Amino acid sequence: MLELRHVDSFYGSIQALRDVSMRVEQGEIISLIGANGAGKTTTLMSICGVVPPRSGEILFEGKPIQELSTDQIVALGISQVPEGRLIFPGLTVTENLDMGAFLRRDRAGIKRDQEYIYELFPILSSRRRQFGGTLSGGEQQMLAISRALMARPRLLLLDEPSLGLAPLIIRQIFEIIEKINKESNTTIFLVEQNANQALKVAHRGYVMENGRITMSDVAAHLLENEDVKKAYLGL
Ligand code: ATP
């Protein structure tokens, strides 16, 4: 579904991605793990056109997208939930969801998807008329994921969904990520510092160090890998 081929990305003269090649198949959950500053966020930014690669190719469903604008990439069916859950604090929960559906015209479908989201996150349902800015961190993360889902993406990009959340909430968020993948067959590309949780829900994983992919394998194998255990699982 998505393929990065030898991608190099820069911030001015600083090279953040070096020869990055990755593959995401339809229906998979892929986790990209790595330390602070490894280049994980930049990978997502390159996919969605915010930091376009200087060389290499990014293919979505076989077509090159590395020269498209972010709007065009979103319209192809790729949605991103950025780090820090940038919801609209002055809009209600329902209004935030409406913003996620701004490219859609199918009113009945939008309504149906909203109801699905309120089933997925009952806590958001009970806070429909509350302003986004008054929600807890975990609820805001749920809202940010929900808003991205309202665009009915075929590929959902999640940047550090567990950041700054309590363990119980983190577990809930990862359960929902698995549920979204299974129930709506949404392909998910997850970037995480919480390697343990991220690899537990993923089918396959990639490890990034200093802008390069240094390992890739079935997620269950990475969880058992001694180097991964030492560097990322605190074992
Ligand atoms: P984190 O988990 O801290 O977000 P990350 O793995 O997502 O880390 P990136 O944010 O992709 O890492 O950063 C990769 C490299 O690019 C780092 O060295 C970082 O300092 C640099 N970088 C990121 N954003 C910019 C920017 N806007 N301008 C210059 N350099 C940047």
Side-chain angles (χ1 to χ4, degrees):
M1 175 177 238
L2 180 78
E3 193 177 350
L4 281 72
R5 289 187 186 158
H6 307 293
V7 167
D8 291 312
S9 295
F10 290 76
Y11 296 100
S13 60
I14 300 169
Q15 185 164 7
L17 297 186
R18 296 170 189 273
D19 196 27
V20 170
S21 294
M22 306 179 69
R23 228 165 16 86
V24 182
E25 306 289 354
Q26 161 72 40
E28 277 188 314
I29 302 180
I30 291 293
S31 289
L32 172 62
I33 62 169
N36 245 320
K40 305 181 302 297
T41 299
T42 308
T43 305
L44 294 186
M45 295 296 189
S46 291
I47 295 168
C48 63
V50 179
V51 182
R54 199 169 284 178
S55 59
E57 263 192 316
I58 301 181
L59 305 170
F60 182 61
E61 298 183 327
K63 294 186 198 77
I65 59 167
Q66 73 273 6
E67 280 169 20
L68 301 183
S69 67
T70 300
D71 289 358
Q72 289 170 319
I73 292 169
V74 171
L76 290 177
I78 301 180
S79 280
Q80 192 190 351
V81 181
E83 187 177 330
R85 22 183 191 276
L86 306 173
I87 55 145
F88 298 102
L91 298 183
T92 66
V93 166
T94 303
E95 287 164 347
N96 266 279
L97 293 184
D98 288 342
M99 295 300 282
F102 75 101
L103 282 176
R104 294 174 59 180
R105 295 287 169 267
D106 56 324
R107 278 172 177 247
I110 293 174
K111 188 95 196 95
R112 241 190 343 265
D113 286 353
Q114 256 195 24
E115 290 311 317
Y116 171 68
I117 278 164
Y118 286 140
E119 274 171 38
L120 214 50
F121 297 109
I123 189 76
L124 293 183
S125 178
S126 64
R127 305 204 184 301
R128 290 177 195 218
R129 276 173 284 280
Q130 198 167 317
F131 288 119
T134 66
L135 300 176
S136 72
E139 291 160 1
Q140 289 191 24
Q141 184 58 269
M142 293 174 196
L143 182 56
I145 294 172
S146 301
R147 193 182 59 195
L149 284 178
M150 286 303 295
R152 278 233 184 145
R154 276 173 298 146
L155 175 64
L156 182 64
L157 311 175
L158 297 172
D159 195 353
E160 304 252 9
S162 78
L163 195 73
L165 302 179
L168 183 67
I169 308 289
I170 293 177
R171 226 171 303 139
Q172 277 177 12
I173 298 267
F174 279 104
E175 275 170 22
I176 297 280
I177 290 171
E178 273 190 296
K179 200 164 171 200
I180 292 165
N181 171 253
K182 286 208 184 95
E183 287 181 356
S184 60
N185 198 28
T186 309
T187 307
I188 296 178
F189 184 52
L190 179 67
V191 158
E192 261 296 341
Q193 280 195 51
N194 189 331
N196 187 34
Q197 291 282 353
L199 291 175
K200 275 189 183 149
V201 299
H203 299 102
R204 290 186 303 116
Y206 289 85
V207 179
M208 185 169 250
E209 285 169 35
N210 299 320
R212 290 184 193 279
I213 299 292
T214 52
M215 260 188 264
S216 80
D217 206 338
V218 173
H221 292 172
L222 287 177
L223 276 169
E224 294 302 320
N225 181 291
E226 292 303 324
D227 295 333
V228 173
K229 278 189 190 171
K230 262 191 235 131
Y232 302 106
L233 303 175
L235 299 172

